[in-house]
């Protein structure tokens, strides 16, 4: 007979204030449900918080990445360099436009793209780099921007997890040609589904605004508040419908009023975990890098780091598989104790579509493979209670498999 755990802690939990819930009633009562004044307000608040010159709200981070590459005019067979350890969407958008995904291995310390490896992937067909600020830690943007400049490449930042993440005082998403954010419920700010593109280029911003809205030269809001609302806009581009609704933006805009509190709370939770686990040599907590401010979209750890590094060094796939089995057994124990965990994310080159299309083996990107099999994210979310946090700490500390 199974016993119920004393507490159940999810990997993430959406926490909204009453004011945020109430704010969604605004568009419902006004009747303006589609992209309108609330989207504009959310975009303005996003620009103010990140320091980006332009923010363009869309339906998801995936569509933000897709629109960015479309606006930059990615052509079929153009190559785009993507880290091998990221959410599959980062690579999928390249496929959607007929481009070729060129995977690059990661640094196992940060889980982010390895800038040294990146340089080796450049060919005459390379058009863009898609660095990911994974889990809220900025990628090595100094090195990446330098490489991009040297080879004339675009940089589209995948900042899906990057809210509150800074690279030497600059918010991520403001360092490349565009930055793309996600508002999925596992992110610090959520609109259910949703995304935001940031850019400092007025030309790109204009193009992105058109492309998200069927290619229209003028938005519905501009037309309705302009002198001749009865005339339809011209459509200079064959665009898409990737507009965020005002219902979603009302929720996002309201959460932006406590953006700093949300980030501070997540950072202080991470600090408590860091302190609680610092003596565990079998669990490596998220990296801290000078000059980078972590936004802690999640709390990704590496299980048995010394064994993992030795196995990667020796290209010992069997040893990595053995560590993976122990990690999975540990995740099972934690689940039985009521604590939800996840692998930090997946190695995209190991997913069957990419493995088969590009004929890849797991060990082609050994660090991504190791991160796939040996990482574990612990519950971390704003609104987490003291007792939930203490429970996670005591169970993790007492449950080495
Ligand atoms: C690194 C990364 N890129 C892209 C995405 C896609 O975001 P969305 O679900 O908003 O399309 C995610 C989602 O988790 C992600 O983690």
């Amino acid at each position: 007979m199974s016993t119920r755990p004393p507490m159940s802690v999810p990997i993430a939990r959406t926490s909204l204030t009453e004011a945020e819930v109430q704010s969604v009633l605004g568009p419902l009562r006004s009747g303006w449900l589609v992209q309108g004044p609330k989207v504009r307000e959310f975009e303005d608040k996003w620009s103010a918080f990140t320091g980006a010159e332009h923010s363009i709200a869309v339906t998801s981070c995936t569509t933000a990445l897709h629109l960015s590459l479309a606006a930059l005019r990615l052509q079929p067979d153009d190559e785009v360099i993507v880290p091998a350890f990221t959410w599959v969407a980062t690579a999928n958008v390249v496929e959607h436009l007929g481009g070729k995904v060129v995977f690059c291995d990661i640094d196992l310390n940060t889980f982010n793209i390895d800038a040294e490896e990146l340089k080796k992937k450049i060919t005459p067909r390379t058009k863009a780099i898609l660095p990911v600020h994974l889990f809220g830690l900025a990628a090595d943007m100094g090195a990446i921007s330098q490489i991009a400049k040297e080879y004339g490449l675009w940089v589209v930042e995948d900042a899906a997890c990057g809210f509150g993440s800074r690279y030497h005082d600059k918010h991520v998403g403001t360092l490349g040609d565009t930055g793309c954010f996600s508002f999925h419920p596992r992110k610090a700010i959520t609109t259910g589904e949703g995304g935001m593109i940031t850019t400092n280029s007025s030309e790109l911003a204009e193009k992105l605004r058109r492309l998200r809205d069927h290619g229209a030269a003028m938005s519905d809001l501009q037309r309705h508040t302009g002198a001749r609302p009865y005339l339809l806009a011209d459509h200079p581009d064959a665009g898409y419908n990737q507009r965020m609704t005002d219902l979603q933006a009302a929720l996002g805009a309201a959460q932006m009023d406590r953006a700093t509190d949300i980030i501070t709370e997540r950072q202080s939770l991470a600090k408590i975990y860091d302190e609680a686990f610092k003596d565990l040599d079998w669990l490596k907590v998220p990296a801290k890098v000078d000059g980078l401010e972590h936004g802690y979209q999640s709390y990704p750890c590496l299980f048995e780091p010394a064994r993992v590094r030795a196995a990667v060094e020796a290209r010992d796939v069997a040893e990595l598989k053995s560590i993976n089995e122990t990690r999975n057994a540990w995740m099972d124990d934690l689940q039985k104790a009521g604590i939800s965990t996840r692998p930090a994310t997946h190695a995209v080159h190991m997913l069957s579509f990419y493995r088969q299309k590009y004929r890849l083996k797991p060990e082609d990107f050994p660090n991504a493979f190791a991160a796939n099999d040996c990482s574990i994210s612990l519950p971390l979310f704003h609104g987490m209670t003291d007792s939930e946090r203490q429970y996670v700490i005591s169970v993790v500390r007492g449950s080495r498999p």
Side-chain angles (χ1 to χ4, degrees), residues 40-223:
R40 185 182 280 176
E41 181 188 333
F42 187 24
E43 291 173 340
D44 289 347
K45 287 181 173 176
W46 197 262
S47 291
F49 187 84
T50 59
E53 282 181 37
H54 309 276
S55 296
I56 299 109
V58 289
T59 51
S60 67
C61 181
T62 306
T63 53
L65 293 163
H66 178 261
L67 269 195
S68 296
L69 291 179
L72 290 163
R73 294 195 178 282
L74 190 81
Q75 299 298 309
D77 299 327
D78 283 351
E79 294 179 5
V80 180
I81 302 174
V82 172
F85 189 58
T86 180
W87 185 245
V88 66
T90 321
N92 283 349
V93 293
V94 179
E95 292 290 323
H96 296 160
L97 289 162
K100 181 178 173 201
V101 177
V102 176
F103 288 110
C104 178
D105 210 356
I106 56 152
D107 172 349
L108 210 42
N109 182 39
T110 60
F111 292 127
N112 280 328
I113 196 163
D114 181 333
E116 285 295 314
E117 283 295 307
L118 195 164
K119 219 170 169 171
K120 298 181 202 158
K121 303 289 170 192
I122 294 170
T123 75
R125 290 215 63 88
T126 311
K127 282 284 155 34
I129 308 169
L130 260 177
V132 183
H133 308 298
L134 213 48
F135 317 123
L137 184 67
D140 187 358
M141 289 308 290
I144 292 166
S145 305
Q146 186 57 42
I147 294 169
K149 198 167 158 200
E150 196 179 327
Y151 292 90
L153 308 176
W154 305 315
V155 177
V156 172
E157 296 172 67
D158 181 338
C161 314
F163 184 67
S165 166
R166 290 178 195 276
Y167 179 89
H168 297 281
D169 290 338
K170 288 206 157 146
H171 199 286
V172 299
T174 63
L175 300 139
D177 293 286
T178 69
C180 303
F181 295 84
S182 171
F183 302 126
H184 176 273
R186 272 200 69 189
K187 309 302 188 287
I189 300 283
T190 183
T191 58
E193 299 280 2
M196 190 74 82
I197 313 175
T198 45
T199 181
N200 291 331
S201 156
S202 304
E203 203 183 316
L204 260 182
E206 202 180 307
K207 177 103 184 164
L208 289 161
R209 284 184 203 287
R210 281 205 305 273
L211 284 181
R212 76 167 162 187
D213 186 15
H214 300 289
M218 190 190 278
S219 72
D220 280 354
L221 184 63
Q222 285 167 323
R223 193 161 58 81

Side-chain angles (χ1 to χ4, degrees), residues 88-366:
V88 66
T90 321
N92 283 349
V93 293
V94 179
E95 292 290 323
H96 296 160
L97 289 162
K100 181 178 173 201
V101 177
V102 176
F103 288 110
C104 178
D105 210 356
I106 56 152
D107 172 349
L108 210 42
N109 182 39
T110 60
F111 292 127
N112 280 328
I113 196 163
D114 181 333
E116 285 295 314
E117 283 295 307
L118 195 164
K119 219 170 169 171
K120 298 181 202 158
K121 303 289 170 192
I122 294 170
T123 75
R125 290 215 63 88
T126 311
K127 282 284 155 34
I129 308 169
L130 260 177
V132 183
H133 308 298
L134 213 48
F135 317 123
L137 184 67
D140 187 358
M141 289 308 290
I144 292 166
S145 305
Q146 186 57 42
I147 294 169
K149 198 167 158 200
E150 196 179 327
Y151 292 90
L153 308 176
W154 305 315
V155 177
V156 172
E157 296 172 67
D158 181 338
C161 314
F163 184 67
S165 166
R166 290 178 195 276
Y167 179 89
H168 297 281
D169 290 338
K170 288 206 157 146
H171 199 286
V172 299
T174 63
L175 300 139
D177 293 286
T178 69
C180 303
F181 295 84
S182 171
F183 302 126
H184 176 273
R186 272 200 69 189
K187 309 302 188 287
I189 300 283
T190 183
T191 58
E193 299 280 2
M196 190 74 82
I197 313 175
T198 45
T199 181
N200 291 331
S201 156
S202 304
E203 203 183 316
L204 260 182
E206 202 180 307
K207 177 103 184 164
L208 289 161
R209 284 184 203 287
R210 281 205 305 273
L211 284 181
R212 76 167 162 187
D213 186 15
H214 300 289
M218 190 190 278
S219 72
D220 280 354
L221 184 63
Q222 285 167 323
R223 193 161 58 81
H224 280 259
T225 52
R228 297 202 288 176
Y230 45 85
L231 293 182
L232 295 180
D234 183 27
H235 289 245
D237 294 291
Y240 309 86
N241 180 356
Q242 295 181 348
R243 294 173 306 208
M244 178 181 275
T245 66
D246 255 28
L247 291 167
Q248 293 166 300
L251 191 57
Q255 282 167 81
M256 289 307 287
D257 292 343
R258 60 180 179 120
T260 304
D261 290 348
I262 287 174
I263 292 303
T264 308
E265 187 180 340
R266 297 177 87 95
Q267 289 170 336
S268 58
L269 283 167
K271 206 166 167 190
I272 294 167
Y273 273 168
D274 287 350
E275 193 57 31
F277 303 136
K278 71 174 185 210
D279 61 323
L280 305 182
D281 62 0
W282 51 275
L283 191 71
K284 181 192 166 300
V285 300
K288 281 177 273 312
V289 181
D290 279 350
L292 307 194
E293 191 177 334
H294 208 310
Y296 293 105
Q297 175 267 335
S298 57
Y299 192 80
C301 301
L302 190 64
F303 177 62
E304 295 282 15
R307 272 179 74 195
V308 170
R309 283 184 200 288
V312 168
E313 193 69 23
R315 299 287 189 270
D316 189 343
V317 174
E319 168 72 347
L320 286 171
K321 283 283 156 212
S322 151
I323 302 169
N324 172 255
E325 275 171 30
T326 322
R327 182 207 63 175
N328 290 352
W330 184 43
M331 290 171 86
D332 205 27
D333 290 346
L334 292 172
Q335 191 67 39
K336 284 185 187 127
I339 296 174
S340 289
T341 62
R342 298 281 185 278
T345 187
H346 48 203
V348 182
H349 75 287
M350 290 167 63
L351 304 175
S352 44
F353 175 84
Y354 290 98
R355 206 182 58 226
Q356 286 162 11
K357 176 166 181 181
Y358 294 102
R359 297 176 197 281
L360 298 169
K361 295 187 295 303
E363 54 273 31
D364 287 340
F365 304 97

